[in-house]
Amino acid sequence: MDPISPAIVSAGAHAAKATDSFADEAAKAAGSLLTRLFGPSADVIGANWADRLREQNMERLLKKTEKRAKARETKGEDPGIANPRVASQVFASAEYSDSEVVAEYLSGVLASSRDATGTSDAGVAWSTVVSRLSSDQLRLHYLIYASARQRVIQQGFSRSNNAHSIEIVLHFTPLFALAGMTVTAFADAIDGLMREGLIGDGYHYAPTSQLFEKEAARRNTTVEYPHESGLRVSMSVHGIRLFVWGNGAGDKGIDAYIDPSITLAAVDNPLPTVMTMFVKDDVVKTVQPGQEPPTA
């Protein structure tokens, strides 16, 4: 039996138990409570719940993982086999998620855990992080780090760690549209990323006049930002690592983020990126002596 089989068998057994549990008398008696909890969708909690999850969500996850494997094969790399411990945890998370972005990140973690022997279980920690995040948080995380990556690569850092705490500003209008959230949901998502250490402490999204208010008040600085509003946030090493793992290159290390030869993107319908600038140097610039703007 190959190393991945025990995890698949375990996932199948778990689903079968779920099916049986919903068939017993206790589950039938709880039907009204399920209806109250799930509303019109309560019917999927019945006997076909496990089948629906297993056949749709698991199939989607495995297809995405296989696409990542084939992409490596086209580059002459051996995609290897997955670690059963990582696989079982990824499967458990995937079973109950209908979210496309969650499936993308989980498939990335599973693909990253594959090696020649299937012994690396480093992906367990990252699958745990993914399981703690909502689909809104993962979508926003993807947008931030996918958008910032090109600017970071252009900077010519020798290590991805050098991007830690770099303050960036993203054009807010297209970012908010791509996030597809309400204002309240966006606030919850960005706060959740900060709480998990996936961005630095503190963030600000506002009209440009407010976003750089302190810098604009300094005599020896000038602010040049071409958009009406932005999201100002600091990158973190933890956030970069999750992006690398969630896009299938975790085994290549964090410096995959600054390597333009490595594709880091969703395998299906990757989101567009938005204009991203470094707050320091790109937006807020020091005025040379003798060039200070005249005071009012």
Side-chain angles (χ1 to χ4, degrees):
M1 181 179 289
D2 63 271
I4 199 73
S5 296
I8 296 175
V9 171
S10 176
H14 177 77
K17 289 180 181 178
T19 302
D20 292 341
S21 69
F22 282 113
D24 63 23
E25 290 302 317
K28 292 177 181 179
S32 60
L33 294 177
L34 290 173
T35 300
R36 288 174 59 187
L37 179 61
F38 290 95
S41 62
D43 59 321
V44 303
I45 308 300
N48 67 345
W49 167 271
D51 287 339
R52 183 179 66 91
L53 294 173
R54 193 166 59 242
E55 293 176 4
Q56 295 182 12
N57 294 346
M58 296 293 288
E59 181 181 7
R60 176 175 55 188
L61 171 73
L62 294 174
K63 282 183 176 180
K64 289 180 184 296
T65 306
E66 183 60 18
K67 286 180 181 179
R68 295 187 187 279
K70 288 182 178 179
R72 289 199 172 195
E73 289 174 338
T74 60
K75 294 182 179 181
E77 300 179 27
D78 180 3
I81 53 178
N83 176 267
R85 185 180 176 212
V86 178
S88 61
Q89 189 160 310
V90 166
F91 290 166
S93 296
E95 281 179 336
Y96 298 100
S97 176
D98 291 323
S99 168
E100 189 73 16
V101 69
V102 173
E104 287 285 355
Y105 270 70
L106 288 174
S107 75
V109 171
L110 188 56
S112 295
S113 77
R114 297 173 70 166
D115 62 18
T117 61
T119 57
S120 175
D121 64 354
V124 167
W126 295 104
S127 63
T128 300
V129 174
V130 173
S131 69
R132 286 201 304 267
L133 297 175
S134 69
S135 55
D136 282 348
Q137 290 167 343
L138 285 171
R139 188 178 181 86
L140 186 55
H141 176 268
Y142 180 91
L143 285 167
I144 290 172
Y145 283 92
S147 297
R149 188 186 181 210
Q150 189 56 45
R151 181 65 189 91
V152 171
I153 290 174
Q154 290 172 353
Q155 182 68 18
F157 289 130
S158 59
R159 300 184 308 155
S160 290
N161 286 353
N162 292 337
H164 179 66
S165 294
I166 289 288
E167 242 192 328
I168 59 174
V169 58
L170 301 94
H171 187 190
F172 187 75
T173 301
L175 177 69
F176 186 72
L178 289 168
M181 307 173 199
T182 64
V183 173
T184 299
F186 187 92
D188 286 345
I190 192 71
D191 188 64
L193 294 183
M194 183 181 69
R195 189 169 58 250
E196 288 284 341
L198 299 171
I199 57 173
D201 291 338
Y203 57 84
H204 194 30
Y205 51 96
T208 299
S209 59
Q210 299 175 27
L211 205 60
F212 306 103
E213 190 173 9
K214 291 182 179 179
E215 289 84 358
R218 297 173 187 164
R219 181 178 176 81
N220 66 333
T221 60
T222 181
V223 175
E224 299 176 3
Y225 189 62
H227 305 297
E228 72 286 353
S229 61
L231 168 66
R232 183 171 174 172
V233 66
S234 296
M235 303 176 69
S236 75
V237 167
H238 197 51
I240 294 172
R241 285 191 183 277
L242 176 60
F243 185 78
V244 171
W245 272 88
N247 285 283
D251 58 310
K252 297 181 182 297
I254 190 174
D255 287 337
Y257 189 73
I258 60 172
D259 187 342
S261 69
I262 297 176
T263 299
L264 296 178
V267 294
D268 295 313
N269 305 313
L271 293 169
T273 57
V274 302
M275 183 178 180
T276 304
M277 303 170 71
F278 289 163
V279 170
K280 185 179 179 181
D281 299 330
D282 291 344
V283 179
V284 179
K285 303 177 182 179
T286 301
V287 179
Q288 297 300 318
Q291 297 180 342
E292 295 91 341
T295 57

